[in-house]
Amino acid sequence: MNLPSSNHELKLIIGQATSRGPDHERNEDFHGATTGEGRERGIVVCVADGIGGSADGRLASEVTVRAMLEDCVATPLGWKGVRVLYTVANSLNDWLFREGRWRKGGLGTTLVAALFRDRGLSILSVGDSRLYRWREGRLTLLTRDHLFGGPDLAVLTKAVGLDDRFTPDLREEVLREQDRYLLVSDGVWRAVREHVLRRWLEPALDPQETAQGLVEEARRHGRDDATAVVVAVVSLPEANLPELLREWRDRAIQPPPAVGDRVDGYHILRILAKGMQGVVVLARDEEGGQDVVMKFPDLLAASDPAWMEQFAREEWIGLRVRHPQVLAAQPPADTRRKAAYHVWQSLTGQTLEQVRQQRGKRGISATEATLWLCQTAKGLLALHRQGIIHRDVKPDNLFLTTDQRVVVMDFGAARITGLSPLMPEPAGQRVAGGTPGFMAPELYQGEPGDAGSDLFALGVTGYLLLAGSLPFGQPESHLVPDFQKKIPLAILRPDLPPSLTSIIERCLALDARNRPGDLGEFLSWMEQPELWSTPPARLPLLHRNPLRFYQTGFWIFLLTTVLLTLWRLRG
């Protein structure tokens, strides 16, 4: 199994072989390998051996391997490799343990799983399936057997599904080119002595030939099911994210350019935005012949290593998340970029904040707001699925293109979950990045921010677009807003569908547990037909302004009562 890639990607060649034991009705072993979406996801390789005493060892091993291959590449992007393996295997352990209680002998399997990602290897092992490393003429066993007793009467002490407490061995190590790794079930290592394993791994044979040869050796000398997977490391990527961040710190910081300047083949056409942290410009790529947006850091801001780390991560997010509702970065070749800057796709249109100011207070319809909020939620959901929390959702960071597509942009405050910063944060409570007025209460309490924080900011955005004001006022940057003072959106905009105001109000819940569970739930709520139907040209007064309706009714009633009284007195 050859997994090709570009010159700067992880490249492995994998060989796999398995055989049923002569005395067995079926092969209880299961194995497999898969690739993720891009180099960040990595390549997962697994070998499992169903416990012979369980009701269906084959079912346990097959379910475990298939789930590991499918679910490990769907975990948040920033998670460490051992966290990925443990989280998926732990959920499998819970399922097998529960299901096994209803089957004679239970459901259990050994497991050795390897996640090859960037320049590292993460290993999870439980039971007596093994992983060896062959490096520079030396064979090293990287796992240990969870067995009790002698060689002939050994009993497994750990396995997936054996106990409700899951305590596998976890290990990480750095890969080297020309390394070879061997994953085997106990049917191989019990039957094939270590010196024979070395004899098969020493010559640089094709991994498939090696795996097949080891299984045939096991069949000649043993009676158990035998499985072998050989992984040869052909090439490694140049740098992972932490290494990339360190490279960014060494890039030259130059003064922001002026209109007419040329930087690495980009002709600066117009200044789009300028602030204390840098400048954003529209430029023409003279090599590619297209307009792009470039972002340059300010000299003073760039002197802070922590700020430069976040600046580098911002581009990293734009490169990794490809979605119609997420702004994409377009990095130049390393040989072309001589200074610190980002290059982003150029869009035609305006921000939702510009639209709001042009329309005036309450100038945005329910249908428009529904469409924009749904598109924003889809973009945020694409980020969340890769473990990225935006933390600065607001109309200024939502771009409405001329074809009515909302694009989420500006990842300067984003957080990649599971990825620790290279620079230590200052001691004491620290408010996570964001804009006052849009930040959730938990951010003011020192929480780093999660999907619920983005949902809160999305609710504030919807409230602002429809009501023309922030729900909790515009606080000072150093003050906590008064979250108890809020006029319900239904009072400010009685013409809106009740379901829309209800969804926005739920996003604005001060307790994160009362908000929608995630953006997927938010989108399902927004699919209600009344939010997408065309409103009548003129709503009844009762729906447009209930207060005026009842005031008018009161005065009509009062006037009628007075007239009737005068008529009776005159008669």
Side-chain angles (χ1 to χ4, degrees):
M1 181 178 184
N2 194 339
L3 303 178
S5 60
S6 66
N7 294 333
H8 301 304
E9 292 291 333
L10 174 65
K11 182 178 181 180
L12 307 177
I13 298 178
I14 301 176
Q16 307 176 73
T18 188
S19 175
R20 175 177 59 85
D23 299 333
H24 291 184
E25 294 182 1
R26 59 181 175 180
N27 192 343
E28 304 287 342
D29 291 355
F30 203 81
H31 63 93
T34 189
T35 59
E37 298 176 359
R39 122 184 180 190
E40 292 76 24
R41 295 298 184 187
I43 299 166
V44 183
V45 182
C46 297
V47 169
D49 179 6
I51 297 176
S54 67
D56 199 338
R58 169 69 181 201
L59 173 64
S61 62
E62 182 172 351
V63 166
T64 297
V65 171
R66 289 189 184 279
M68 291 293 294
L69 300 183
E70 293 175 4
D71 295 348
C72 282
V73 295
T75 54
L77 188 62
W79 282 11
K80 292 182 64 176
V82 289
R83 182 181 180 186
V84 169
L85 295 174
Y86 176 81
T87 301
V88 176
N90 186 50
S91 64
L92 285 166
N93 182 80
D94 291 343
W95 185 84
L96 289 175
F97 181 75
R98 290 195 306 270
E99 288 294 315
R101 290 186 299 177
W102 308 105
R103 297 170 181 261
K104 184 178 179 181
L107 274 175
T109 180
T110 69
L111 173 66
V112 58
L115 172 58
F116 296 83
R117 186 166 65 182
D118 282 322
R119 303 176 67 88
L121 169 64
S122 302
I123 305 168
L124 178 146
S125 64
V126 57
D128 60 356
S129 293
R130 291 182 174 183
L131 189 148
Y132 295 87
R133 179 190 65 209
W134 176 266
R135 175 181 290 171
E136 297 177 350
R138 295 184 59 185
L139 182 65
T140 305
L141 177 61
L142 300 181
T143 58
R144 61 171 180 156
D145 302 324
H146 298 132
L147 297 171
F148 176 78
D152 298 327
L153 298 174
V155 177
L156 279 173
T157 58
K158 292 183 181 181
V160 183
L162 191 64
D163 195 325
D164 59 346
R165 295 169 298 177
F166 188 58
T167 55
D169 289 345
L170 300 169
R171 176 172 180 154
E172 289 189 325
E173 70 164 37
V174 177
L175 295 171
R176 294 185 189 175
E177 292 185 358
Q178 308 309 316
D179 280 352
R180 271 170 286 166
Y181 292 89
L182 172 64
L183 292 80
V184 292
S185 63
D186 69 325
V188 172
W189 66 262
R190 290 181 187 276
V192 181
R193 300 303 178 186
E194 195 166 290
H195 71 277
V196 179
L197 294 180
R198 286 197 296 268
R199 191 178 67 202
W200 274 99
L201 289 169
E202 188 170 10
L205 299 176
D206 176 75
Q208 184 60 42
E209 182 180 348
T210 303
Q212 192 64 48
L214 287 170
V215 168
E216 291 175 359
E217 287 273 4
R219 290 187 64 184
R220 285 195 294 268
H221 300 93
R223 312 294 296 177
D224 198 1
D225 303 329
T227 299
V229 179
V230 179
V231 182
V233 181
V234 178
S235 64
L236 296 172
E238 290 188 345
N240 55 22
L241 177 58
E243 293 168 345
L244 177 63
L245 297 177
R246 293 186 181 94
E247 291 176 5
W248 263 94
R249 293 181 189 174
D250 298 330
R251 294 188 187 277
I253 309 297
Q254 62 182 27
V259 174
D261 290 349
R262 282 178 168 79
V263 180
D264 296 342
Y266 295 99
H267 182 204
I268 310 303
L269 304 177
R270 180 158 48 97
I271 304 296
L272 300 178
K274 194 171 185 179
M276 296 182 62
Q277 295 188 340
V279 61
V280 179
V281 304
L282 178 68
R284 170 58 63 111
D285 181 358
E286 295 179 330
E287 290 187 8
Q290 61 182 356
D291 289 347
V292 296
V293 173
M294 303 178 70
K295 184 174 182 179
F296 293 84
D298 180 79
L299 290 174
L300 183 60
S303 63
D304 180 2
W307 187 92
M308 279 303 297
E309 178 182 332
Q310 188 62 39
F311 186 78
R313 290 190 184 196
E314 184 178 358
E315 181 191 55
W316 185 82
I317 292 170
L319 291 173
R320 269 59 187 180
V321 183
R322 295 297 181 179
H323 191 274
Q325 266 67 54
V326 178
L327 188 67
Q330 298 178 351
D334 292 338
T335 55
R336 179 179 181 183
R337 178 162 51 185
K338 302 298 189 298
Y341 55 81
H342 298 164
V343 180
W344 300 83
Q345 66 180 133
S346 177
L347 302 174
T348 304
Q350 54 189 342
T351 67
L352 289 187
E353 178 60 19
Q354 292 172 324
V355 174
R356 185 186 72 83
Q357 292 183 2
Q358 291 174 4
R359 298 282 190 88
K361 193 171 185 179
R362 306 182 187 179
I364 294 175
S365 68
T367 303
E368 288 176 314
T370 299
L371 175 62
W372 297 343
L373 291 175
C374 284
Q375 292 191 38
T376 302
K378 291 176 182 178
L380 294 174
L381 184 59
L383 293 169
H384 290 183
R385 283 175 173 167
Q386 299 206 36
I388 300 166
I389 308 301
H390 191 280
R391 298 201 300 183
D392 199 16
V393 179
K394 58 182 180 180
D396 267 323
N397 290 337
L398 304 174
F399 196 89
L400 181 64
T401 65
T402 52
D403 60 353
Q404 297 301 298
R405 176 169 56 97
V406 174
V407 179
V408 180
M409 59 183 188
D410 195 344
F411 312 115
R415 167 179 171 248
I416 305 173
T417 59
L419 189 64
S420 301
L422 297 180
M423 297 300 300
E425 295 185 354
Q429 192 178 70
R430 177 178 179 271
V431 177
T435 300
F438 293 85
M439 296 166 59
E442 60 267 21
L443 297 182
Y444 287 95
Q445 298 169 4
E447 296 294 328
D450 55 16
S453 307
D454 279 355
L455 272 166
F456 183 90
L458 184 62
V460 175
T461 298
Y463 189 105
L464 176 61
L465 291 174
L466 292 165
S469 60
L470 292 169
F472 306 103
Q474 182 67 58
E476 297 292 335
S477 59
H478 60 285
L479 297 177
V480 178
D482 186 351
F483 286 109
Q484 302 303 323
K485 291 185 177 180
K486 177 173 69 69
I487 302 176
L489 181 58
I491 293 178
L492 297 176
R493 287 290 301 269
D495 58 308
L496 297 176
S499 54
L500 178 58
T501 57
S502 175
I503 296 169
I504 292 175
E505 292 288 349
R506 188 177 177 193
C507 291
L508 295 175
L510 302 185
D511 188 339
R513 293 172 296 183
N514 295 328
R515 299 171 200 156
D518 55 24
L519 285 159
E521 181 181 340
F522 172 85
L523 286 168
S524 67
W525 279 50
M526 296 292 282
E527 291 174 354
Q528 300 180 52
E530 67 172 306
L531 299 182
W532 298 94
S533 59
T534 304
R538 182 71 173 174
L539 291 172
L541 180 61
L542 174 61
H543 295 288
R544 287 184 284 114
N545 194 328
L547 180 60
R548 182 176 299 176
F549 174 83
Y550 289 112
Q551 286 176 338
T552 303
F554 170 77
W555 287 113
I556 292 175
F557 172 76
L558 182 61
L559 180 60
T560 303
T561 303
V562 171
L563 291 175
L564 287 174
T565 302
L566 292 176
W567 180 76
R568 288 183 178 180
L569 290 175
R570 180 175 297 181

